[in-house]
C-alpha cells in the first residue's frame, strides 16, 4: 500500500530515512555530509515543505518518498534494505508521478542511488557535485 503520510507519521518516516541513510548512503559521505543530512531531516522548517508518501507491508512502513515544489523535486527517497529490488521504489515513484503537476521531476541523487534513478528513467543534467559535504548528481525525469 502506498499512501500520503499524515503529520503524526512523519517522525517514524524520518526514523526510517535515517536508518537507511546510515546503512547505505553514509559510507559515501564525509562526516560533514552526514551531519548536513542529519540536520536537514531534523529541521522542522525544511520538513514542513515536504509532501511525504509511505509504502507499507502489512501495516509496517517500509519505504518513504518525499517531494517539494508541488511534486517536481524529490527530496527524500528511501526503502528498507530487506525490500530493495522488489519494486517498492518504483511504486513510490509512480505515486509521485500521479500527483505532480509538473512535466519534469528533478532530484539530487546520492552516489548510492544513481543506478536506481537511472533505472527509473532519470537522466543526469550535470556532473557530481559536493555541497556541505553532500555528494550528489543532478538528474531529471521528463514525463
Amino acid at each position: 500500500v502506498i499512501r500520503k503520510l499524515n503529520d503524526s507519521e512523519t517522525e517514524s518516516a524520518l526514523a526510517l530515512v535515517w536508518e537507511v541513510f546510515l546503512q547505505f548512503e553514509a559510507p559515501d559521505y564525509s562526516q560533514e555530509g552526514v551531519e548536513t543530512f542529519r540536520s536537514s531531516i531534523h529541521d522542522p522548517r525544511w520538513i514542513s515543505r515536504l509532501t511525504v508518501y509511505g509504502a507499507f507491508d502489512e501495516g509496517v512502513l517500509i519505504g518513504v518518498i518525499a517531494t517539494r515544489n508541488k511534486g517536481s523535486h524529490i527530496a527524500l527517497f528511501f526503502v528498507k534494505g530487506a525490500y530493495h529490488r522488489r519494486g517498492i521504489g518504483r511504486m513510490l515513484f509512480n505515486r509521485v508521478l500521479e500527483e505532480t503537476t509538473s512535466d519534469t521531476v528533478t532530484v539530487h541523487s546520492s552516489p548510492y542511488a544513481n543506478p536506481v534513478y537511472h533505472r527509473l528513467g532519470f537522466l543526469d543534467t550535470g556532473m557530481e557535485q559536493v555541497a556541505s559535504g553532500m555528494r550528489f548528481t543532478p538528474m531529471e525525469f521528463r514525463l
Side-chain angles (χ1 to χ4, degrees):
V1 174
I2 308 292
R3 65 172 174 79
K4 188 174 176 181
L5 300 183
N6 60 49
D7 290 343
S8 68
E9 297 170 306
T10 301
E11 191 173 322
S12 61
L14 294 175
L16 180 148
V17 164
W18 183 240
E19 170 192 327
V20 176
F21 174 84
L22 288 176
Q23 185 176 4
F24 296 101
E25 307 277 353
D28 292 326
Y29 287 92
S30 65
Q31 187 57 42
E32 178 191 18
V34 172
E35 181 54 33
T36 297
F37 185 81
R38 191 199 66 73
S39 293
S40 67
I41 65 168
H42 288 91
D43 177 353
R45 208 174 79 230
W46 189 79
I47 297 300
S48 72
R49 296 183 307 189
L50 301 178
T51 301
V52 184
Y53 301 91
F56 292 85
D57 182 24
E58 297 184 13
V60 176
L61 184 65
I62 59 168
V64 171
I65 193 167
T67 63
R68 63 177 186 253
N69 303 334
K70 298 181 181 173
S72 69
H73 182 78
I74 296 172
L76 299 169
F77 192 4
F78 293 89
V79 175
K80 285 188 173 200
Y83 291 87
H84 284 185
R85 305 209 46 95
R86 292 174 54 184
I88 306 302
R90 183 167 297 281
M91 288 188 292
L92 284 162
F93 179 59
N94 285 342
R95 180 61 186 266
V96 167
L97 294 180
E98 291 170 8
E99 300 289 330
T100 188
T101 57
S102 177
D103 60 352
T104 60
V105 177
T106 59
V107 69
H108 289 165
S109 175
S110 68
Y112 181 85
N114 284 346
V116 174
Y117 285 111
H118 289 149
R119 281 194 302 275
L120 289 172
F122 280 79
L123 299 175
D124 297 7
T125 58
M127 300 296 291
E128 182 178 286
Q129 302 170 35
V130 179
S132 301
M134 298 289 295
R135 293 174 57 197
F136 66 91
T137 301
M139 296 185 183
E140 179 179 79
F141 178 93
R142 291 190 174 275
L143 278 78

